[in-house]
Amino acid sequence: MVVSVLNRRHVLAAGLGASVFALVPGRSVAQEPMRAVIVSGGVGGVFYPYGQILASLLSAAVPALAPIGQLTRGSVDNARLIQRGQADIGFSTLDSAYDAVNGVGAFAGDGKLDLSVLAVLYDSYLHIVAAGDKGIAGIGDLKGRKVSVGSTGSSTETIANRVLAAAGLDPHKDVERLNFGVAESADALKAGQIDAFFWIGGVPTAAVSSLAAAGQPKLAFLPTENVASIEKEYPGLYRPAVLPKTAYAGMTEDVPCLGVANVLIVSSKAEARFVTTVLDGIFANVELIRGSHPEAAKLSLESAAVRTAVPFHPAAEAYYASKGVPK
């Protein structure tokens, strides 16, 4: 049973207005709620607050579920946690999900993971952020520099490796690698401990917004080079995108970059009842989700059902078909 939420009040959670939901009273629960551990990402990105929003909404709106939101290092962690049965729903970039189901890239030592897509959420944009006073104008200028390439095993690290290689650099030898999450990267750049960092995330990303607004140091956003060759090498995973000049304080022009879709993933063995209940809960209350964050505002039934290089869970496929999407 799914109940639409009628009222809400806002509280601050990880720098984002998360929602606490007040429901119509008098509902009964027919059976033990199903566990729904939702694994997201690090503080400072979009996955974490989005995951908290979903956990809060599903907890309030769907008595058949017992959701818990958990902080992780991101996509790669999430895929492995679901595979091990330690999580039920995970946020992932599409490229990490694709690598997971094919047992390649960061998952070369794992074998093929048994995962499926639950919903397509929004696109992430590659941020390559450098200190503006270090003479760094392009990716080639990162040679010999201290660069955070994202948390170990994260989708950011995977993309950073691919982008550095496409620019003619050896990602393991030509830069002094550090593995920081986005919040740590922003703090390290501000403290002068690194020269640049990579981040793949939604716009705006809270940690980057805070760093840009502080103005110390002034930031340089580097364009992603050789996007066409990256698209050719990894077909169906990336696309040309633009980080708009309105994204962060101090930007004066649009920056060409790499885009990648973000998806919710589940085990391919997840029960159909679980998948349908989660999707019912999300889309019965989609307007509340859309109002929680600029990236969450992009969620719709139609956009969630867009086919990608990773197949949908059969129950998700059936759910979208029952709603008449995709057309």
Side-chain angles (χ1 to χ4, degrees):
M1 173 182 175
V2 175
V3 179
S4 291
V5 177
L6 299 183
N7 303 297
R8 59 176 173 166
R9 66 184 185 272
H10 294 290
V11 297
L12 289 180
L16 178 73
S19 299
V20 175
F21 303 97
L23 302 177
V24 177
R27 298 169 300 136
S28 61
V29 180
Q31 60 190 79
E32 189 72 19
M34 293 177 284
R35 187 192 77 167
V37 176
I38 303 172
V39 285
S40 53
V43 174
V46 176
F47 279 3
Y48 175 68
Y50 205 148
Q52 296 301 101
I53 288 293
L54 285 186
S56 178
L57 180 140
L58 292 174
S59 178
V62 189
L65 294 175
I68 301 171
Q70 288 189 358
L71 176 78
T72 70
R73 291 181 297 183
S75 302
V76 176
D77 274 0
N78 297 346
R80 288 174 174 150
L81 288 167
I82 292 172
Q83 180 72 13
R84 295 170 189 156
Q86 296 172 295
D88 305 292
I89 303 169
F91 284 72
S92 179
T93 56
L94 178 61
D95 57 336
S96 286
Y98 179 87
D99 287 355
V101 300
N102 288 283
V104 298
F107 302 92
D110 299 79
K112 296 180 180 181
L113 304 194
D114 200 7
L115 306 172
S116 299
V117 170
L118 181 69
V120 180
L121 298 177
Y122 64 95
D123 282 350
S124 275
Y125 299 81
L126 180 61
H127 301 56
I128 311 174
V129 186
D133 58 354
K134 296 294 181 78
I136 301 172
I139 296 175
D141 296 328
L142 297 178
K143 187 171 184 178
R145 305 279 190 161
K146 293 182 179 179
V147 180
S148 172
V149 294
S151 300
T152 302
S154 66
S155 56
T156 295
E157 184 179 44
T158 296
I159 292 172
N161 289 343
R162 291 171 179 175
V163 168
L164 287 166
L169 297 181
D170 184 322
H172 298 283
K173 296 179 180 179
D174 286 339
V175 298
E176 187 175 337
R177 296 169 66 92
L178 295 103
N179 290 106
F180 297 151
V182 64
E184 292 176 286
S185 293
D187 288 344
L189 190 71
K190 186 174 182 178
Q193 296 168 345
I194 60 174
D195 301 306
F197 67 86
F198 283 78
W199 165 247
I200 184 78
V203 175
T205 289
V208 181
S209 289
S210 297
L211 181 63
Q216 297 293 329
K218 184 177 179 180
L219 304 181
F221 290 85
L222 309 184
T224 306
E225 301 166 12
N226 301 317
V227 171
S229 67
I230 296 170
E231 283 186 289
K232 184 176 180 179
E233 187 169 358
Y234 305 99
L237 300 184
Y238 304 111
R239 64 172 184 82
V242 173
L243 190 63
K245 63 183 178 183
T246 56
Y248 300 106
M251 292 184 68
T252 58
E253 57 186 20
D254 295 341
V255 178
C257 68
L258 199 66
V260 61
N262 294 290
V263 295
L264 287 179
I265 55 174
V266 295
S267 169
S268 297
K269 299 176 183 176
E271 291 185 14
R273 181 171 70 96
F274 174 79
V275 170
T276 302
T277 300
V278 171
L279 290 174
D280 265 342
I282 289 173
F283 289 105
N285 299 284
V286 69
E287 289 305 318
L288 293 179
I289 297 173
R290 287 168 58 85
S292 67
H293 189 275
E295 294 296 4
K298 299 172 182 177
L299 180 64
S300 70
L301 194 59
E302 293 75 17
S303 65
V306 172
R307 298 184 187 280
T308 70
V310 180
F312 282 106
H313 187 285
E317 188 94 45
Y319 176 86
Y320 294 124
S322 74
K323 302 297 183 181
V325 292
K327 301 294 186 183

